[in-house]
Amino acid sequence: KAGVTQTPRYLIKTRGQQVTLSCSPISGHRSVSWYQQTPGQGLQFLFEYFSETQRNKGNFPGRFSGRQFSNSRSEMNVSTLELGDSALYLCASSLVDTPWEQYFGPGTRLTVT
Amino acid sequence: GQSLEQPSEVTAVEGAIVQINCTYQTSGFYGLSWYQQHDGGAPTFLSYNALDGLEETGRFSSFLSRSDSYGYLLLQELQMKDSASYFCAVRSFSYSGAGSYQLTFGKGTKLSVIP
């Protein structure tokens, strides 16, 4: 079974631009969560989607948004990029019955200059 | 709010045993997970404890005490490949969400295994 895939793997953007990251979960996984990982703050929860609905949202500004499609694939968007948005963005999927067991993708390394 | 505390770094000798502690403060607690992340890699799930006690999976064991808001990950017969960051993560009810749960991660413990 294929793992979680994320595209692109690396991205360089300029302050003020916007970016869209994509995540394809493991087949059969309907829950998709997004995390931001930085050396100083560790893994911080952004949001979770299930059946195309946002179920949870972390403490991030409204510039961070996401959506999920009917095939469970998910995208997250960051508008008006700031230097502090430079991070590794990780997507994770899980089964309905075992939500604590999350399978992470390799991440998208975003650099904002 | 929620908070998790774990040591930032631990060093241990190959073949030895190491324990990584995690204390947490949260409301709506449901369980404690552990994840491993090698440098440049993605986090991978190790274990989950919803009830008090010890869960064993090969060389790794995880313990939970709900009354003490405390858990630990025990790694036995350490190997060089165990050098990685280890994260504890609390699964808790999210009062701000649509009646769902969320996973809150600690900042991770960097384990260095030396010969």
Side-chain angles (χ1 to χ4, degrees), chain A residues 66-81:
Chain A
R67 59 177 175 169
Q68 186 180 35
F69 302 94
S70 58
N71 61 358
S72 295
R73 190 177 69 84
S74 178
E75 289 181 347
M76 69 164 279
N77 184 278
V78 188
S79 62
T80 320
L81 283 167

Side-chain angles (χ1 to χ4, degrees), chain A residues 9 35 37 40-45 48 53-58 88 90 99-107, chain B residues 33 35 37 40-45 47-48 87 91 94-107:
Chain A
R9 293 292 312 278
Y35 297 86
Q37 186 172 32
Q41 297 299 318
L43 270 158
Q44 291 188 285
F45 172 73
E48 182 212 0
T53 301
Q54 186 182 90
R55 285 207 299 194
N56 266 306
K57 191 177 192 305
L88 180 67
L90 291 160
W100 54 83
E101 186 172 342
Q102 301 207 340
Y103 292 79
F104 283 82
Chain B
S33 297
Y35 285 78
Q37 185 178 29
T44 56
F45 173 79
S47 68
Y48 177 70
F87 296 86
R91 180 171 180 254
S94 172
Y95 295 94
S96 61
S100 183
Y101 307 91
Q102 72 177 56
L103 210 54
T104 303
F105 284 79
K107 293 193 175 180

Side-chain angles (χ1 to χ4, degrees), chain B residues 1-6 21-32 64-71 88-93 95 102-106:
Chain B
Q2 303 182 42
S3 67
L4 293 93
E5 293 290 331
Q6 53 181 129
N21 298 321
C22 174
T23 57
Y24 59 86
Q25 286 186 317
T26 187
S27 53
F29 175 85
Y30 269 82
L32 187 69
L64 175 66
S65 169
R66 295 172 69 111
S67 59
D68 295 323
S69 298
Y70 163 75
C88 58
V90 163
R91 180 171 180 254
S92 59
F93 184 78
Y95 295 94
Q102 72 177 56
L103 210 54
T104 303
F105 284 79

